Amino acid sequence: MVIDAINQNEEKGNGFMVPIGVSARHVHLTQEHVETLFGSGYQLTKKKDLMGGQFASNETVTIIGLKLRAIENVRVLGPVRSATQVEVSATDAIKLGMNVPVRMSGDIAGSAPIAIVGPKGAIYLKEGCIVAMRHIHMSPADAQAAGVKNGDIVSVKADNERGTIFNQVAIRVDDSFTLEMHIDTDEANAAKIATGNTVTIIK
């Protein structure tokens, strides 16, 4: 009976469904860098609310890699942060001519350098460009229901014609989070998944 109970607990997350949110390339800025790029005293303006108090702003920038290859119209997300960070896909990194590490958001130490250009100025980051590690946002109640905790690494399955299994999916738990798995455009296109589709935690 004890073994059965342990097995049931270990398999609790199996079959737990999670909606997908496809995350395109974007930038997080400090207030100092907002003002460098857009002008003294400038404040980001809200375009669309996102989870956890974040929002997509109306502001966009151009990002430039070390080989002077550029990607224009990259969305800035708010509110401002304590460190500036650029999140791109692996395909974006190839276009920029850069070797960009896969990291959790916020883990930018030793990451790739990049330049950001706005209408009023430009900044150069010695580090700060990452490919975001795929992850699932959850509230504590969702985490309990799924049998997982903050920092766990799980696998999920997309039950469509591509039948893709994503390994190395990080669990992130916070009271402000709405249940959603974030993948980038490369991952979504390869698995033929769109925002609003669902995947299932399998372990």
Side-chain angles (χ1 to χ4, degrees):
M1 290 175 63
V2 172
I3 292 172
D4 287 342
I6 292 172
N7 288 338
Q8 285 175 11
N9 186 58
E10 288 180 344
E11 295 173 0
K12 191 175 182 182
N14 289 0
F16 190 84
M17 295 186 70
V18 181
I20 285 287
V22 180
S23 182
R25 66 181 79 100
H26 60 272
V27 175
H28 300 280
L29 297 172
T30 64
Q31 181 58 35
E32 178 187 358
H33 286 162
V34 167
E35 296 189 36
T36 300
L37 297 171
F38 296 98
S40 179
Y42 194 91
Q43 300 290 320
L44 295 176
T45 59
K46 187 181 296 185
K47 178 181 177 71
K48 179 183 178 182
D49 284 314
L50 304 172
M51 77 168 63
Q54 293 193 96
F55 61 87
S57 77
N58 291 298
E59 288 73 32
T60 61
V61 294
T62 297
I63 57 176
I64 303 174
L66 294 178
K67 296 183 179 180
L68 301 183
R69 299 176 186 172
I71 298 176
E72 299 179 332
N73 299 315
V74 180
R75 185 72 54 191
V76 178
L77 300 191
V80 294
R81 289 194 175 186
S82 59
T84 292
Q85 174 179 294
V86 178
E87 296 183 34
V88 298
S89 69
T91 298
D92 292 336
I94 292 169
K95 182 175 181 180
L96 291 166
M98 295 166 53
N99 181 21
V100 180
V102 176
R103 297 280 186 84
M104 287 297 296
S105 179
D107 181 12
I108 60 173
S111 59
I114 197 160
I116 307 173
V117 180
K120 299 292 186 180
I123 57 176
Y124 174 72
L125 303 178
K126 292 183 179 179
E127 58 186 17
C129 185
I130 65 169
V131 174
M133 181 178 180
R134 59 182 77 106
H135 56 278
I136 299 174
H137 289 281
M138 288 184 165
S139 68
D142 288 326
Q144 184 176 10
V148 296
K149 63 183 184 300
N150 188 59
D152 281 356
I153 302 297
V154 299
S155 295
V156 304
K157 182 179 180 182
D159 288 313
N160 59 15
E161 65 256 53
R162 299 305 295 267
T164 306
I165 293 176
F166 293 103
N167 297 315
Q168 299 297 313
V169 182
I171 299 294
R172 305 187 69 178
V173 180
D174 190 88
D175 287 325
S176 67
F177 289 162
T178 302
L179 182 63
E180 193 169 66
M181 176 175 170
H182 286 176
I183 58 176
D184 66 28
T185 50
D186 282 0
E187 295 166 319
N189 290 338
K192 204 171 182 181
I193 295 175
T195 293
N197 293 164
T198 59
V199 292
T200 304
I201 295 175
I202 57 174
K203 68 176 182 178

mmCIF file of all heavy atoms in Angstrom, residues 168-198:
data_model
loop_
_atom_site.group_PDB
_atom_site.id
_atom_site.type_symbol
_atom_site.label_atom_id
_atom_site.label_comp_id
_atom_site.label_asym_id
_atom_site.label_seq_id
_atom_site.Cartn_x
_atom_site.Cartn_y
_atom_site.Cartn_z
ATOM 1 N N GLN A 168 13.311 19.043 -20.357
ATOM 2 C CA GLN A 168 13.972 20.197 -19.745
ATOM 3 C C GLN A 168 13.052 21.417 -19.673
ATOM 4 O O GLN A 168 13.405 22.521 -20.095
ATOM 5 C CB GLN A 168 15.262 20.544 -20.501
ATOM 6 C CG GLN A 168 16.303 19.439 -20.507
ATOM 7 C CD GLN A 168 16.806 19.122 -19.094
ATOM 8 O OE1 GLN A 168 17.124 20.011 -18.333
ATOM 9 N NE2 GLN A 168 16.864 17.845 -18.767
ATOM 10 N N VAL A 169 11.853 21.209 -19.138
ATOM 11 C CA VAL A 169 10.888 22.291 -18.947
ATOM 12 C C VAL A 169 10.891 22.683 -17.471
ATOM 13 O O VAL A 169 10.589 21.859 -16.607
ATOM 14 C CB VAL A 169 9.468 21.868 -19.372
ATOM 15 C CG1 VAL A 169 8.492 23.035 -19.214
ATOM 16 C CG2 VAL A 169 9.463 21.361 -20.814
ATOM 17 N N ALA A 170 11.240 23.912 -17.175
ATOM 18 C CA ALA A 170 11.344 24.373 -15.788
ATOM 19 C C ALA A 170 9.981 24.795 -15.254
ATOM 20 O O ALA A 170 9.181 25.398 -15.968
ATOM 21 C CB ALA A 170 12.318 25.539 -15.695
ATOM 22 N N ILE A 171 9.725 24.474 -14.008
ATOM 23 C CA ILE A 171 8.500 24.902 -13.323
ATOM 24 C C ILE A 171 8.793 26.180 -12.533
ATOM 25 O O ILE A 171 9.736 26.234 -11.754
ATOM 26 C CB ILE A 171 7.985 23.816 -12.359
ATOM 27 C CG1 ILE A 171 7.640 22.528 -13.120
ATOM 28 C CG2 ILE A 171 6.778 24.330 -11.577
ATOM 29 C CD1 ILE A 171 6.470 22.653 -14.073
ATOM 30 N N ARG A 172 7.967 27.209 -12.753
ATOM 31 C CA ARG A 172 8.100 28.463 -12.017
ATOM 32 C C ARG A 172 6.768 28.758 -11.320
ATOM 33 O O ARG A 172 5.728 28.832 -11.982
ATOM 34 C CB ARG A 172 8.490 29.605 -12.961
ATOM 35 C CG ARG A 172 9.749 29.310 -13.760
ATOM 36 C CD ARG A 172 10.214 30.500 -14.550
ATOM 37 N NE ARG A 172 10.726 31.550 -13.664
ATOM 38 C CZ ARG A 172 11.230 32.706 -14.119
ATOM 39 N NH1 ARG A 172 11.253 32.952 -15.416
ATOM 40 N NH2 ARG A 172 11.680 33.610 -13.278
ATOM 41 N N VAL A 173 6.818 28.880 -10.007
ATOM 42 C CA VAL A 173 5.595 29.027 -9.210
ATOM 43 C C VAL A 173 5.585 30.379 -8.505
ATOM 44 O O VAL A 173 6.561 30.766 -7.867
ATOM 45 C CB VAL A 173 5.483 27.897 -8.158
ATOM 46 C CG1 VAL A 173 4.201 28.052 -7.335
ATOM 47 C CG2 VAL A 173 5.534 26.535 -8.836
ATOM 48 N N ASP A 174 4.458 31.092 -8.641
ATOM 49 C CA ASP A 174 4.297 32.369 -7.946
ATOM 50 C C ASP A 174 2.806 32.683 -7.864
ATOM 51 O O ASP A 174 2.029 32.294 -8.748
ATOM 52 C CB ASP A 174 5.034 33.482 -8.692
ATOM 53 C CG ASP A 174 5.097 34.775 -7.890
ATOM 54 O OD1 ASP A 174 6.055 34.928 -7.107
ATOM 55 O OD2 ASP A 174 4.190 35.617 -8.031
ATOM 56 N N ASP A 175 2.417 33.404 -6.826
ATOM 57 C CA ASP A 175 1.007 33.776 -6.658
ATOM 58 C C ASP A 175 0.484 34.607 -7.811
ATOM 59 O O ASP A 175 -0.717 34.600 -8.102
ATOM 60 C CB ASP A 175 0.815 34.562 -5.357
ATOM 61 C CG ASP A 175 0.919 33.673 -4.115
ATOM 62 O OD1 ASP A 175 0.490 32.508 -4.186
ATOM 63 O OD2 ASP A 175 1.433 34.145 -3.091
ATOM 64 N N SER A 176 1.363 35.348 -8.480
ATOM 65 C CA SER A 176 0.924 36.242 -9.559
ATOM 66 C C SER A 176 0.814 35.545 -10.910
ATOM 67 O O SER A 176 0.354 36.142 -11.881
ATOM 68 C CB SER A 176 1.902 37.418 -9.688
ATOM 69 O OG SER A 176 3.176 36.974 -10.138
ATOM 70 N N PHE A 177 1.236 34.276 -10.987
ATOM 71 C CA PHE A 177 1.287 33.587 -12.277
ATOM 72 C C PHE A 177 -0.046 32.950 -12.664
ATOM 73 O O PHE A 177 -0.751 32.395 -11.819
ATOM 74 C CB PHE A 177 2.356 32.496 -12.273
ATOM 75 C CG PHE A 177 3.771 33.007 -12.277
ATOM 76 C CD1 PHE A 177 4.817 32.182 -11.913
ATOM 77 C CD2 PHE A 177 4.063 34.314 -12.636
ATOM 78 C CE1 PHE A 177 6.124 32.636 -11.906
ATOM 79 C CE2 PHE A 177 5.365 34.785 -12.636
ATOM 80 C CZ PHE A 177 6.395 33.941 -12.271
ATOM 81 N N THR A 178 -0.337 33.023 -13.950
ATOM 82 C CA THR A 178 -1.443 32.291 -14.562
ATOM 83 C C THR A 178 -0.851 31.071 -15.254
ATOM 84 O O THR A 178 0.231 31.156 -15.845
ATOM 85 C CB THR A 178 -2.170 33.167 -15.595
ATOM 86 O OG1 THR A 178 -2.639 34.352 -14.952
ATOM 87 C CG2 THR A 178 -3.342 32.430 -16.215
ATOM 88 N N LEU A 179 -1.554 29.940 -15.194
ATOM 89 C CA LEU A 179 -1.034 28.699 -15.773
ATOM 90 C C LEU A 179 -0.764 28.862 -17.269
ATOM 91 O O LEU A 179 -1.676 29.122 -18.053
ATOM 92 C CB LEU A 179 -2.041 27.565 -15.540
ATOM 93 C CG LEU A 179 -1.613 26.183 -16.044
ATOM 94 C CD1 LEU A 179 -0.372 25.694 -15.303
ATOM 95 C CD2 LEU A 179 -2.752 25.190 -15.900
ATOM 96 N N GLU A 180 0.510 28.698 -17.653
ATOM 97 C CA GLU A 180 0.885 28.803 -19.063
ATOM 98 C C GLU A 180 2.310 28.321 -19.249
ATOM 99 O O GLU A 180 3.197 28.643 -18.457
ATOM 100 C CB GLU A 180 0.755 30.249 -19.537
ATOM 101 C CG GLU A 180 0.811 30.418 -21.046
ATOM 102 C CD GLU A 180 0.417 31.818 -21.460
ATOM 103 O OE1 GLU A 180 1.138 32.786 -21.132
ATOM 104 O OE2 GLU A 180 -0.639 31.957 -22.111
ATOM 105 N N MET A 181 2.538 27.565 -20.324
ATOM 106 C CA MET A 181 3.886 27.169 -20.702
ATOM 107 C C MET A 181 4.390 28.116 -21.772
ATOM 108 O O MET A 181 3.708 28.361 -22.765
ATOM 109 C CB MET A 181 3.914 25.732 -21.231
ATOM 110 C CG MET A 181 5.292 25.307 -21.728
ATOM 111 S SD MET A 181 5.355 23.576 -22.205
ATOM 112 C CE MET A 181 6.966 23.500 -22.999
ATOM 113 N N HIS A 182 5.582 28.653 -21.570
ATOM 114 C CA HIS A 182 6.162 29.577 -22.529
ATOM 115 C C HIS A 182 7.237 28.877 -23.354
ATOM 116 O O HIS A 182 8.190 28.313 -22.803
ATOM 117 C CB HIS A 182 6.761 30.787 -21.810
ATOM 118 C CG HIS A 182 5.723 31.733 -21.301
ATOM 119 N ND1 HIS A 182 6.018 32.856 -20.560
ATOM 120 C CD2 HIS A 182 4.370 31.729 -21.445
ATOM 121 C CE1 HIS A 182 4.904 33.497 -20.264
ATOM 122 N NE2 HIS A 182 3.893 32.825 -20.779
ATOM 123 N N ILE A 183 7.059 28.923 -24.659
ATOM 124 C CA ILE A 183 8.064 28.438 -25.599
ATOM 125 C C ILE A 183 8.315 29.546 -26.611
ATOM 126 O O ILE A 183 7.499 30.463 -26.755
ATOM 127 C CB ILE A 183 7.616 27.141 -26.316
ATOM 128 C CG1 ILE A 183 6.291 27.349 -27.071
ATOM 129 C CG2 ILE A 183 7.491 25.992 -25.334
ATOM 130 C CD1 ILE A 183 5.843 26.140 -27.875
ATOM 131 N N ASP A 184 9.448 29.475 -27.303
ATOM 132 C CA ASP A 184 9.722 30.516 -28.283
ATOM 133 C C ASP A 184 9.197 30.123 -29.660
ATOM 134 O O ASP A 184 8.634 29.032 -29.850
ATOM 135 C CB ASP A 184 11.206 30.891 -28.304
ATOM 136 C CG ASP A 184 12.129 29.771 -28.788
ATOM 137 O OD1 ASP A 184 11.687 28.917 -29.582
ATOM 138 O OD2 ASP A 184 13.307 29.756 -28.373
ATOM 139 N N THR A 185 9.360 31.013 -30.618
ATOM 140 C CA THR A 185 8.774 30.798 -31.951
ATOM 141 C C THR A 185 9.398 29.606 -32.667
ATOM 142 O O THR A 185 8.708 28.906 -33.409
ATOM 143 C CB THR A 185 8.935 32.063 -32.801
ATOM 144 O OG1 THR A 185 10.301 32.517 -32.743
ATOM 145 C CG2 THR A 185 8.038 33.173 -32.275
ATOM 146 N N ASP A 186 10.685 29.352 -32.452
ATOM 147 C CA ASP A 186 11.319 28.177 -33.054
ATOM 148 C C ASP A 186 10.644 26.898 -32.580
ATOM 149 O O ASP A 186 10.304 26.005 -33.380
ATOM 150 C CB ASP A 186 12.799 28.109 -32.667
ATOM 151 C CG ASP A 186 13.669 29.060 -33.462
ATOM 152 O OD1 ASP A 186 13.132 29.779 -34.324
ATOM 153 O OD2 ASP A 186 14.885 29.088 -33.215
ATOM 154 N N GLU A 187 10.474 26.788 -31.267
ATOM 155 C CA GLU A 187 9.888 25.584 -30.682
ATOM 156 C C GLU A 187 8.442 25.410 -31.133
ATOM 157 O O GLU A 187 8.003 24.296 -31.453
ATOM 158 C CB GLU A 187 9.966 25.672 -29.159
ATOM 159 C CG GLU A 187 11.392 25.665 -28.635
ATOM 160 C CD GLU A 187 11.495 26.083 -27.184
ATOM 161 O OE1 GLU A 187 10.800 27.031 -26.778
ATOM 162 O OE2 GLU A 187 12.286 25.448 -26.459
ATOM 163 N N ALA A 188 7.709 26.509 -31.181
ATOM 164 C CA ALA A 188 6.304 26.453 -31.594
ATOM 165 C C ALA A 188 6.167 26.014 -33.049
ATOM 166 O O ALA A 188 5.328 25.166 -33.387
ATOM 167 C CB ALA A 188 5.644 27.811 -31.392
ATOM 168 N N ASN A 189 6.990 26.570 -33.910
ATOM 169 C CA ASN A 189 6.906 26.220 -35.334
ATOM 170 C C ASN A 189 7.309 24.768 -35.576
ATOM 171 O O ASN A 189 6.674 24.065 -36.377
ATOM 172 C CB ASN A 189 7.810 27.149 -36.155
ATOM 173 C CG ASN A 189 7.290 28.568 -36.215
ATOM 174 O OD1 ASN A 189 6.094 28.804 -36.018
ATOM 175 N ND2 ASN A 189 8.165 29.517 -36.477
ATOM 176 N N ALA A 190 8.341 24.300 -34.882
ATOM 177 C CA ALA A 190 8.801 22.924 -35.066
ATOM 178 C C ALA A 190 7.746 21.920 -34.627
ATOM 179 O O ALA A 190 7.580 20.855 -35.233
ATOM 180 C CB ALA A 190 10.092 22.689 -34.295
ATOM 181 N N ALA A 191 7.015 22.259 -33.556
ATOM 182 C CA ALA A 191 6.006 21.349 -33.007
ATOM 183 C C ALA A 191 4.609 21.619 -33.543
ATOM 184 O O ALA A 191 3.664 20.925 -33.186
ATOM 185 C CB ALA A 191 5.990 21.452 -31.488
ATOM 186 N N LYS A 192 4.493 22.634 -34.408
ATOM 187 C CA LYS A 192 3.211 23.049 -34.966
ATOM 188 C C LYS A 192 2.203 23.364 -33.844
ATOM 189 O O LYS A 192 1.091 22.842 -33.792
ATOM 190 C CB LYS A 192 2.637 21.992 -35.922
ATOM 191 C CG LYS A 192 1.659 22.577 -36.946
ATOM 192 C CD LYS A 192 1.284 21.565 -38.005
ATOM 193 C CE LYS A 192 0.349 22.211 -39.032
ATOM 194 N NZ LYS A 192 -0.061 21.227 -40.072
ATOM 195 N N ILE A 193 2.654 24.208 -32.913
ATOM 196 C CA ILE A 193 1.856 24.621 -31.764
ATOM 197 C C ILE A 193 1.658 26.128 -31.825
ATOM 198 O O ILE A 193 2.552 26.864 -32.236
ATOM 199 C CB ILE A 193 2.573 24.258 -30.440
ATOM 200 C CG1 ILE A 193 2.698 22.750 -30.279
ATOM 201 C CG2 ILE A 193 1.848 24.852 -29.245
ATOM 202 C CD1 ILE A 193 3.504 22.340 -29.067
ATOM 203 N N ALA A 194 0.476 26.583 -31.416
ATOM 204 C CA ALA A 194 0.175 28.006 -31.375
ATOM 205 C C ALA A 194 -0.318 28.389 -29.982
ATOM 206 O O ALA A 194 -0.710 27.522 -29.191
ATOM 207 C CB ALA A 194 -0.884 28.363 -32.424
ATOM 208 N N THR A 195 -0.261 29.656 -29.691
ATOM 209 C CA THR A 195 -0.781 30.158 -28.416
ATOM 210 C C THR A 195 -2.228 29.709 -28.243
ATOM 211 O O THR A 195 -3.038 29.823 -29.161
ATOM 212 C CB THR A 195 -0.705 31.700 -28.377
ATOM 213 O OG1 THR A 195 0.671 32.089 -28.353
ATOM 214 C CG2 THR A 195 -1.391 32.247 -27.140
ATOM 215 N N GLY A 196 -2.525 29.171 -27.067
ATOM 216 C CA GLY A 196 -3.870 28.680 -26.785
ATOM 217 C C GLY A 196 -4.027 27.179 -26.913
ATOM 218 O O GLY A 196 -4.942 26.587 -26.350
ATOM 219 N N ASN A 197 -3.091 26.531 -27.662
ATOM 220 C CA ASN A 197 -3.069 25.065 -27.689
ATOM 221 C C ASN A 197 -2.644 24.554 -26.308
ATOM 222 O O ASN A 197 -2.152 25.320 -25.485
ATOM 223 C CB ASN A 197 -2.096 24.542 -28.730
ATOM 224 C CG ASN A 197 -2.515 24.841 -30.171
ATOM 225 O OD1 ASN A 197 -1.714 24.755 -31.082
ATOM 226 N ND2 ASN A 197 -3.774 25.224 -30.375
ATOM 227 N N THR A 198 -2.812 23.266 -26.056
ATOM 228 C CA THR A 198 -2.427 22.699 -24.772
ATOM 229 C C THR A 198 -1.416 21.588 -24.920
ATOM 230 O O THR A 198 -1.336 20.935 -25.974
ATOM 231 C CB THR A 198 -3.661 22.148 -24.008
ATOM 232 O OG1 THR A 198 -4.295 21.145 -24.813
ATOM 233 C CG2 THR A 198 -4.636 23.264 -23.670
#
